[in-house]
Amino acid sequence: MEAVSVGPPPRERRRLLFHQISVLLLTFSAYAAFHASRKPPSIVKSVLGPEAPSSSSGGGGWPPFDGPRGPHRLGELDLAFLSSYSFGMYLAGHVADRVDIRRFLALGMLASGASTSAFGVAYWCGVHRLSFFLAVQVISGLVQSIGWPCVVAVVGNWFGKSQRRGLIMGVWNSNTSVGNILGSIIASSVLDFGWGWSFLLPGLLITVVGVFVWAFLVSDPGDLGFESVTMEIEMNEPGVVDLEDLDQATGEEMGLLESKEMHEADPVTAIGFLEAWRLPGVAPFAFCLFFSKLVAYTFLYWLPFYIRHTDVAGKHVSHKSAGILSTIFDIGGVLGGVSAGFMSDRLDARACTSIFFLFFSIPALIAYRSYGSISMQLNISLMFLSGYFVNGPYSLITTAVAADLGTQDMIKGNSRALATVTAIIDATGSVGAALGPLLTGYISTRGWNSVFLMLICSTSLAITFLIHLAKAEVSSKMCERKSTMTSNNQTQ
């Protein structure tokens, strides 16, 4: 049965397209700013913690993070932030459905700017109490958790579903890596003036973007008089814009939400928590994301510290250079996420694509640890390759895979089931994200070989959870191919 487009006239469609593009740009900028304001702790780790043993300066550090237990306490800071972030994500998603999303998102950005700046103020005030830094990180995690549910809800209001999710979501989800790169450059560029500036400037950035969100973001198409935005069109007349090509973009933390019109037109009962866990593919991908995110977030929070404490061609780079060099990993991650989405779309095999990237990330990690210190050129190349393969499956699972699992035939039309499924996957991954940086703080004191061994073991475990699904995908493709060949032979 062919669907008929009953959308607005051409002039209104152009107006709608303009606002959809505006929403994409504003939500992309908003979440990039969130990630930029999260990056300073990883950049200043090498300044706060004990100096590299073989560096010319020696000693160094900022109490209470100097001394032998410094890395442990830095890991505890990461745990404080990520734990409160995971907890706050559930609350933020619940609140976002019941308040003005635009104001809630903007307030979250302003509060994030204040908490990020508060960490930096400790530099000028000479604060050395661990409890202060832990409290700031807990507050930061809670207010930062507001970001993802809100941007996903806004995009969900403006865009409908499509069968081609991977590539577009991979592009939109690059907001995380773009934010990491921007935050690293800003924080590193002012590090020589005092580590407090590395927090103050990203805090100012997210505040400014938050003001733009408050002033210009339209969270729902109904606010502008659009009656229907998300209509699935199977046949388009020439000159008609296909809204499916403007795929709903989602990523990193709370999955895909349907438009408010669909919620109001088809109210359903929320799926049970245990029932959602039993849906095909949910548990394997959730546990795969646990270990994938553990690896990705270990690099996010500890890579600048590792670069600073590892000699390259017999020399240690400066704090500033270490922070800027770490952006190479994120650049590789951007391309990895887009490539994984494109490949999974072409193959129509999410599990096989994830395994491909996970498998090749193991030799990439081994090569980076073993040969990255030979020369700067080799270090940059292997860092880029590691980011490409590590972030590929992480990006794919938090976007396209979560959307696929939340809209499978067993629960089709149940938008609340969609939110529950994606929350399970992302929350499970967030536990791994909190665990990885904490373990690194303790394990790194025994040597970085032990840290990389942990990352390789985590990647291997991530692969094992997808083997069964990958076999099912291969079997399905083989059956389709045999069926096609049989059909062709009968036709001839």
Side-chain angles (χ1 to χ4, degrees), residues 89-90 148 252-257 269-287 289 397-412 414-429:
M89 193 159 44
Y90 290 105
W148 190 251
E252 193 185 68
E253 258 66 333
M254 289 297 292
L256 180 74
L257 298 178
T269 303
I271 192 172
F273 182 78
L274 295 179
E275 185 181 355
W277 269 105
R278 288 193 290 266
L279 290 173
V282 171
F285 273 113
F287 289 116
L289 186 61
I397 293 173
T398 55
T399 55
V401 168
D404 290 345
L405 295 176
T407 55
Q408 54 187 293
D409 292 338
M410 290 181 62
I411 53 174
K412 193 169 185 179
N414 189 340
S415 57
R416 295 186 185 179
L418 172 62
T420 303
V421 168
T422 52
I424 287 175
I425 293 175
D426 292 330
T428 304

Side-chain angles (χ1 to χ4, degrees), residues 117-195:
S117 300
F119 198 112
V121 169
Y123 170 76
W124 290 285
C125 294
V127 178
H128 297 285
R129 295 183 64 87
L130 179 62
S131 58
F132 170 82
F133 295 104
L134 289 174
V136 170
Q137 286 295 81
V138 169
I139 295 173
S140 294
L142 290 174
V143 294
Q144 285 265 341
S145 67
I146 295 174
W148 190 251
C150 289
V151 297
V152 169
V154 171
V155 173
N157 288 338
W158 280 95
F159 292 89
K161 298 187 296 180
S162 170
Q163 294 180 348
R164 300 193 307 271
R165 294 185 173 103
L167 177 60
I168 296 177
M169 289 184 181
V171 173
W172 188 83
N173 193 46
S174 66
N175 54 26
T176 59
S177 294
V178 170
N180 292 338
I181 294 170
L182 186 61
S184 297
I185 293 175
I186 293 175
S188 300
S189 63
V190 296
L191 195 56
D192 292 339
F193 299 100
W195 61 262

Side-chain angles (χ1 to χ4, degrees), residues 358-382:
L358 289 167
F359 178 80
F360 282 100
S361 69
I362 293 177
L365 291 174
I366 295 174
Y368 179 59
R369 174 56 184 163
S370 302
Y371 304 108
S373 60
I374 294 178
S375 68
M376 184 59 68
Q377 293 78 9
L378 195 58
N379 185 287
I380 290 174
S381 300
L382 294 175

Side-chain angles (χ1 to χ4, degrees), residues 15 43 55 71 91 96 103 158 195 218 233 256 271 294 322 331 351 357 383 404 408 424 429 457 463 471:
R15 178 168 167 257
I43 299 298
S55 65
L91 297 178
R103 294 180 179 178
W158 280 95
W195 61 262
V218 181
I233 303 174
L256 180 74
I271 192 172
L294 185 153
I331 294 173
F357 277 82
M383 192 191 310
D404 290 345
Q408 54 187 293
I424 287 175
C457 291
I463 293 175
K471 289 172 61 177

Side-chain angles (χ1 to χ4, degrees), residues 107-409:
L107 287 174
M109 299 181 74
L110 297 177
S112 295
S115 62
T116 301
S117 300
F119 198 112
V121 169
Y123 170 76
W124 290 285
C125 294
V127 178
H128 297 285
R129 295 183 64 87
L130 179 62
S131 58
F132 170 82
F133 295 104
L134 289 174
V136 170
Q137 286 295 81
V138 169
I139 295 173
S140 294
L142 290 174
V143 294
Q144 285 265 341
S145 67
I146 295 174
W148 190 251
C150 289
V151 297
V152 169
V154 171
V155 173
N157 288 338
W158 280 95
F159 292 89
K161 298 187 296 180
S162 170
Q163 294 180 348
R164 300 193 307 271
R165 294 185 173 103
L167 177 60
I168 296 177
M169 289 184 181
V171 173
W172 188 83
N173 193 46
S174 66
N175 54 26
T176 59
S177 294
V178 170
N180 292 338
I181 294 170
L182 186 61
S184 297
I185 293 175
I186 293 175
S188 300
S189 63
V190 296
L191 195 56
D192 292 339
F193 299 100
W195 61 262
W197 291 103
S198 297
F199 287 87
L200 196 62
L201 291 188
L204 179 62
L205 172 66
I206 192 173
T207 300
V208 171
V209 178
V211 172
F212 273 87
V213 168
W214 183 291
F216 299 111
L217 181 64
V218 181
S219 60
D220 192 282
D223 296 339
L224 295 176
F226 294 108
E227 295 181 358
S228 179
V229 173
T230 56
M231 299 191 64
E232 296 193 30
I233 303 174
E234 298 179 17
M235 181 185 70
N236 290 313
E237 299 176 1
V240 176
V241 178
D242 186 354
L243 294 184
E244 287 190 352
D245 288 340
L246 298 173
D247 198 352
Q248 177 179 343
T250 66
E252 193 185 68
E253 258 66 333
M254 289 297 292
L256 180 74
L257 298 178
E258 307 230 8
S259 66
K260 287 186 177 179
E261 288 87 344
M262 297 182 69
H263 279 278
E264 294 169 359
D266 186 25
V268 289
T269 303
I271 192 172
F273 182 78
L274 295 179
E275 185 181 355
W277 269 105
R278 288 193 290 266
L279 290 173
V282 171
F285 273 113
F287 289 116
C288 175
L289 186 61
F290 175 95
F291 292 104
S292 299
K293 214 167 181 179
L294 185 153
V295 177
Y297 269 64
T298 296
F299 276 97
L300 173 65
Y301 281 92
W302 283 93
L303 183 56
F305 185 90
Y306 170 75
I307 295 173
R308 171 60 180 157
H309 286 71
T310 305
D311 63 278
V312 179
K315 299 179 180 179
H316 281 82
V317 300
S318 65
H319 299 294
K320 178 180 178 180
S321 298
I324 294 177
L325 275 175
S326 67
T327 62
I328 302 298
F329 183 88
D330 293 304
I331 294 173
V334 172
L335 296 180
V338 174
S339 299
F342 177 77
M343 185 183 299
S344 68
D345 280 345
R346 294 296 298 270
L347 299 177
D348 192 22
R350 310 294 196 200
C352 290
T353 302
S354 298
I355 287 181
F356 172 83
F357 277 82
L358 289 167
F359 178 80
F360 282 100
S361 69
I362 293 177
L365 291 174
I366 295 174
Y368 179 59
R369 174 56 184 163
S370 302
Y371 304 108
S373 60
I374 294 178
S375 68
M376 184 59 68
Q377 293 78 9
L378 195 58
N379 185 287
I380 290 174
S381 300
L382 294 175
M383 192 191 310
F384 175 89
L385 200 62
S386 298
Y388 180 86
F389 286 113
V390 167
N391 279 3
Y394 156 57
S395 175
L396 182 65
I397 293 173
T398 55
T399 55
V401 168
D404 290 345
L405 295 176
T407 55
Q408 54 187 293
D409 292 338

